[in-house]
Amino acid sequence: MQPATCNMQMSTNQRIAQLLAETADLMEIAQEDGFRIRSYRNAAAAIEGSPEQMADILADPRRKLTDIKGIGKGIAFVIGEIVERGSFERRDEMLTRYPPTALELLKIQGLGPKSIGLLWEHYRVSTVDQLEALCREGKLRELPRMGQKLEEKVLRSIETYRRGAGRFLLSHADEVAQSLRDWLSQVVPAQRCHIAGSLRRSKETVGDLDLLVESENPLLVLDRFVASPEVGEVLAKGANKASALVGRQQIQVDVRALPSASLGAALQYFSGSKEHNVALRTRAVNRKLSLNEYGLFREGDSTPVAAATEEDIYGALGLAWIAPELREHSGEIESAEQGTLPTLVELSQMRGDLHMHTRESDGRGTLEEMALAAKALGYEYIAITDHSKALAMANGLDEQRALAFARLVEQVNREGHLGIRVLSGIECDILRDGRMDLDDEALAALDFVVASVHSYMNQESGEMTQRLLRAIDNPHVKAIGHPTGRILLHRDAYAYQFEEVATACAAKRVAMEINASPERLDLHASLIRGAKAKGVRFVVDTDAHHPRHLTNMKFGVGMARRGWLEAADILNTQSYENLRKLLRP
Ligand code: DGT
Ligand code: CA
Ligand code: CA
Ligand code: ZN
């Protein structure tokens, strides 16, 4: 995490939002009033999403900050203070009580703000290293409500955290990339900006962003890039390349400006992966050629054999063009040579979304709002899958509510006024012993049962395997939701015998979900390939908790593509009629 003081422009929306959010976090550690904390958080979200700079509004005597939704008088005052001097009173006060490094501790799974406050009071712990030492010395267990189990859990979480440090969710990288492209297209219309690197490969986390800009005027492009209101510290700027930290999370962005003549070579090179590129260069060398970011060359000849397009380059190496999602050096080059690359599924082939929540449990939209948003995306059908009663915190459905919901959906479909087919579904908890949270009568009344693990994730592998196998045995279960339970950058997959479970899914015709929620992107590509090899079919679903989450489908499709899937492998690329036939009978 960036320390709370930093040398970026002081009054951008990003910076204001960051200061508000940080202060809210610190207030949470201090266990202050939840209402104030929420108002800071809401304001941070409103400001970050605002198309106008707060500083501009403040500078305009005809305008008022309080006209913006989510900004009241108190927050407006705070924003004024930030624009004026780069901080505000409440923040200064919090920073005299806790160092900014305490914020980093919030990223360790298993430690809430309350515990962090306690650790600070007793041991003055404010860094991950100190926390680790404390756990190793067995000192956490001396505090109220903490024990050896928690120490072990925190140590595991620290390990996960360190592995992910400096990486960002794909969705965040995607958002930053889109907004920089929009910015560049406004300020330098005569250019074309392409995404490369791990974002182009749809990797679930991204280290830094690589953008390539085709332009006759590289200096202008780079000048305008670093002038974007979202750009903070500029790390480097040369004749053809600039690097800067961008946005609230300060992701590094590398921008390279280049002529169109070598775009293909640059795209190929900077899209990676490194391993794929190494293999490709070896192939070039074996054919007495050399490959770099400027083109494919014959020895001693400075005119490239291929450079303008990726197709040219792959073609000159005797290969079919390889989709970026496959470029991980895991068999794609051999397939491209033999002409056996899969015809990867595309976003436009998705005909429905079979996992989403509404206000009935922990979602934010109504059935109608979700249905209309899905219809606007061109879908034929959706399944509403609210939680079941074991998730009491999420107000999960019991049998009675589930039955009533099934009847409601029947009626909605009969009336047909939504213009999209709705399946009555549930995301039913798989209980500790593998039983379903709802009885068979309720499950039988519903069209689509997704079974998911939300509890006791620390079970030993054999136990978890049996638990999942038992769930798959339940004849009403149509799919397994977020099958490994991972939370990116926070929590690892739970342990079980994946192959055994995949084999059972194939045999019982239970689909495995590829959960498109950006924090999950669960399943991992290699597991998708493994499951497909066992004969498993998949569903790609967003697990939306708000109508706008439905557009996360693209990330799920990215994962499916990384797993080499074709449309036919995925049930919700099929028409409603076919879907019914393909689902477990
Ligand atoms: P990331 O940023 O960690 O999520 O992953 P990438 O794949 O975006 O890696 P990055 O940003 O270091 O480099 C972008 C691409 O540029 C990388 O996928 C391949 C290429 N590249 C960068 N440095 C090297 C290098 O030293 N050797 C080779 N062969 N390729 C490189
Ligand atoms: Ca990168
Ligand atoms: Ca890079
Ligand atoms: Zn779930």
Side-chain angles (χ1 to χ4, degrees):
M1 153 152 311
Q2 281 288 304
T5 51
C6 92
N7 53 352
M8 61 190 285
Q9 291 161 306
M10 273 313 185
S11 50
T12 64
N13 284 352
Q14 295 290 336
R15 179 67 180 154
I16 297 169
Q18 186 190 355
L19 295 185
L20 287 169
E22 275 179 15
T23 307
D25 287 344
L26 290 171
M27 286 161 69
E28 199 161 358
I29 292 173
Q31 290 188 61
E32 294 200 5
D33 174 35
F35 178 77
R36 287 284 287 279
I37 296 173
R38 265 197 309 282
S39 79
Y40 279 18
R41 291 240 164 87
N42 291 341
I47 291 166
E48 208 180 16
S50 161
E52 280 186 289
Q53 292 294 317
M54 297 298 121
D56 295 343
I57 300 178
L58 270 172
D60 184 343
R62 292 162 302 179
R63 312 276 309 277
K64 285 204 302 273
L65 285 177
T66 46
D67 292 341
I68 296 173
K69 199 168 170 256
I71 297 185
K73 268 205 181 122
I75 297 285
F77 187 80
V78 164
I79 296 171
E81 220 182 323
I82 295 175
V83 170
E84 182 122 351
R85 65 180 187 90
S87 185
F88 59 104
E89 196 184 329
R90 175 43 78 84
R91 173 167 180 270
D92 297 342
E93 180 198 323
M94 294 313 298
L95 287 176
T96 61
R97 292 170 64 185
Y98 306 98
T101 50
L103 293 171
E104 197 177 3
L105 297 178
L106 279 171
K107 298 194 171 172
I108 307 295
Q109 183 82 4
L111 267 193
K114 224 178 186 169
S115 314
I116 295 169
L118 214 57
L119 284 167
W120 174 254
E121 270 165 44
H122 285 265
Y123 297 120
R124 288 287 179 261
V125 169
S126 71
T127 68
V128 175
D129 289 348
Q130 291 168 341
L131 176 64
E132 185 182 21
L134 216 60
C135 290
R136 294 208 187 284
E137 291 159 17
K139 288 209 175 129
L140 226 57
R141 65 185 79 162
E142 292 170 14
L143 295 181
R145 285 184 309 280
M146 299 194 191
Q148 190 183 344
K149 271 239 151 70
L150 182 68
E151 282 168 359
E152 286 161 13
K153 184 173 181 188
V154 168
L155 283 174
R156 278 198 305 274
S157 303
I158 289 176
E159 208 180 298
T160 311
Y161 170 74
R162 291 221 173 104
R163 241 182 297 127
R167 297 195 69 81
F168 300 83
L169 293 182
L170 178 65
S171 55
H172 179 71
D174 182 61
E175 227 173 83
V176 172
Q178 293 310 334
S179 83
L180 284 175
R181 286 175 90 187
D182 290 348
W183 164 257
L184 284 177
S185 69
Q186 272 173 36
V187 295
V188 197
Q191 53 80 34
R192 286 204 295 167
C193 179
H194 306 268
I195 289 167
S198 49
L199 174 59
R200 183 165 181 236
R201 302 198 313 279
S202 285
K203 200 172 150 80
E204 50 265 63
T205 63
V206 169
D208 67 11
L209 215 68
D210 302 282
L211 300 181
L212 302 179
V213 185
E214 261 179 277
S215 165
E216 301 308 313
N217 193 345
L219 279 177
L220 177 74
V221 166
L222 299 178
D223 272 347
R224 293 297 190 271
F225 159 58
V226 299
S228 154
E230 289 181 60
V231 164
E233 189 181 348
V234 176
L235 304 171
K237 187 160 166 285
N240 299 303
K241 183 189 161 187
S243 294
L245 302 180
V246 180
R248 167 124 79 101
Q249 295 182 25
Q250 301 279 280
I251 186 173
Q252 181 175 329
V253 180
D254 298 338
V255 176
R256 293 177 178 84
L258 44 103
S260 301
S262 59
L263 177 72
L267 260 179
Q268 198 294 310
Y269 183 89
F270 291 109
S271 293
S273 67
K274 246 168 227 166
E275 293 74 16
H276 173 87
N277 286 357
V278 168
L280 211 60
R281 272 205 304 276
T282 306
R283 187 179 175 90
V285 168
N286 290 341
R287 296 170 174 235
K288 304 238 173 322
L289 297 165
S290 72
L291 177 63
N292 60 33
E293 63 264 51
Y294 306 105
L296 183 66
F297 298 90
R298 238 185 302 273
E299 270 167 42
D301 189 349
S302 61
T303 311
V305 177
T309 73
E310 285 191 336
E311 282 82 354
D312 293 346
I313 290 172
Y314 284 102
L317 291 170
L319 300 171
W321 178 80
I322 299 172
E325 293 91 338
L326 302 184
R327 299 182 194 170
E328 300 291 348
H329 192 34
S330 54
E332 72 277 12
I333 294 178
E334 292 77 359
S335 280
E337 179 170 50
Q338 293 155 10
T340 56
L341 285 171
T343 306
L344 296 178
V345 60
E346 294 186 18
L347 180 60
S348 60
Q349 292 176 305
M350 301 310 298
R351 298 215 207 173
D353 190 335
L354 299 171
H355 184 165
M356 67 189 70
H357 299 265
T358 71
R359 285 189 193 158
E360 280 296 309
S361 64
D362 60 351
R364 299 278 296 276
T366 61
L367 184 157
E368 294 203 339
E369 286 164 349
M370 299 306 282
L372 292 177
K375 192 178 145 195
L377 294 176
Y379 290 152
E380 247 173 71
Y381 52 84
I382 56 168
I384 301 279
T385 54
D386 274 305
H387 287 293
S388 65
K389 64 182 188 249
L391 275 189
M393 246 173 40
N395 189 27
L397 275 62
D398 60 12
E399 281 81 359
Q400 263 193 333
R401 284 172 67 204
L403 288 167
F405 173 66
R407 284 193 297 273
L408 170 78
V409 168
E410 262 175 45
Q411 189 192 332
V412 165
N413 285 323
R414 226 177 9 251
E415 287 170 5
H417 62 284
L418 291 176
I420 181 169
R421 158 85 50 178
V422 180
L423 284 77
S424 62
I426 191 110
E427 183 183 13
C428 187
D429 261 57
I430 302 173
L431 301 178
R432 189 177 192 167
D433 59 1
R435 274 180 307 125
M436 286 292 114
D437 186 25
L438 296 185
D439 67 24
D440 282 341
E441 188 200 347
L443 295 181
L446 296 160
D447 299 319
F448 193 73
V449 176
V450 188
S452 303
V453 167
H454 292 124
S455 59
Y456 303 103
M457 284 176 248
N458 294 331
Q459 276 175 338
E460 157 302 296
S461 166
E463 217 178 336
M464 184 62 88
T465 307
Q466 290 313 311
R467 179 179 178 184
L468 288 164
L469 291 176
R470 188 165 175 197
I472 292 161
D473 265 339
N474 183 303
H476 304 296
V477 170
K478 302 279 202 276
I480 300 294
H482 41 75
T484 73
R486 73 170 175 179
I487 303 290
L488 294 168
L489 310 177
H490 277 295
R491 185 174 82 205
D492 287 342
Y494 38 75
Y496 66 94
Q497 295 299 317
F498 184 81
E499 303 232 316
E500 213 176 310
V501 169
T503 304
C505 280
K508 302 273 163 68
R509 286 174 61 184
V510 170
M512 278 194 166
E513 179 180 77
I514 297 172
N515 189 293
S517 158
E519 299 77 37
R520 292 188 183 273
L521 296 179
D522 183 4
L523 290 173
H524 183 277
S526 63
L527 295 180
I528 296 174
R529 286 178 79 177
K532 177 175 168 168
K534 299 273 180 211
V536 170
R537 302 247 221 168
F538 302 84
V539 286
V540 183
D541 296 324
T542 61
D543 198 352
H545 283 67
H546 188 287
R548 68 165 182 271
H549 295 162
L550 292 172
T551 56
N552 287 334
M553 185 62 90
K554 62 183 173 187
F555 302 121
V557 171
M559 293 310 291
R561 290 168 62 89
R562 287 176 65 79
W564 291 52
L565 294 192
E566 307 195 340
D569 298 315
I570 299 170
L571 299 183
N572 50 328
T573 59
Q574 303 299 306
S575 67
Y576 176 70
E577 316 286 87
N578 274 348
L579 173 74
R580 301 288 320 202
K581 283 187 214 136
L582 290 167
L583 284 177
R584 178 187 217 169

